[in-house]
Amino acid sequence: MRLTSFTDFGLRMLMRMAADPSRAISTAELAEALGLSRNHLAKIIQHLARAGLIETRRGGGGGAVLARPASEIRLGQVIRLLEEGQPLAECFGADGGACSIDTRCRLKARLRSAEAAFLTDLDRSTLADIALPPLPKNLVVSQ
């Protein structure tokens, strides 16, 4: 299974936030750390905030923080959320795609099973399991 860049960056952002869960991390800092435009990052932040995984704070000292402990956020849950609307194969899309063998296909059931197994395995791990190590205290982080 291949994850979209949206999911990849969302996971990286959450891993960074889980490293220092008590500190709100600014969009500018996250964008710089991930090498991502602030606009693209803002879309990911909005998506995660609407789902209740993160909270955003405005103003001085504002930024994004985890909405609940990293140990309560399952990886499969995050991937399902971020990959929503991104079918594994064209034929898994809402319209069924343009597959000419759909009615005779034996692969689709196996792919669905593999996708379910992939997500079930990820549900065994939490964000806490993959959190980045904390930054050293003497390292100055730009804000």
Side-chain angles (χ1 to χ4, degrees), residues 25-77:
I25 303 174
S26 72
T27 304
E29 181 183 341
L30 284 168
E32 183 179 332
L34 297 174
L36 197 60
S37 79
R38 288 175 74 174
N39 286 339
H40 191 60
L41 185 66
K43 291 176 188 175
I44 298 168
I45 288 173
Q46 286 176 341
H47 200 75
L48 293 170
R50 275 194 306 268
L53 292 179
I54 65 172
E55 294 175 354
T56 58
R57 302 174 184 163
R58 296 191 181 274
V65 294
L66 295 177
R68 58 184 194 258
S71 61
E72 295 177 12
I73 300 173
R74 298 265 162 212
L75 297 181
Q77 170 196 19

Side-chain angles (χ1 to χ4, degrees), residues 1-7 47 79-94 112 115 119:
M1 179 165 187
R2 183 179 176 102
L3 302 176
T4 61
S5 60
F6 189 83
T7 299
H47 200 75
I79 290 174
R80 282 181 194 90
L81 171 72
L82 295 173
E83 288 288 309
E84 190 174 47
Q86 300 296 323
L88 180 62
E90 181 183 7
C91 60
F92 285 27
R112 280 200 195 283
E115 182 179 35
L119 293 168

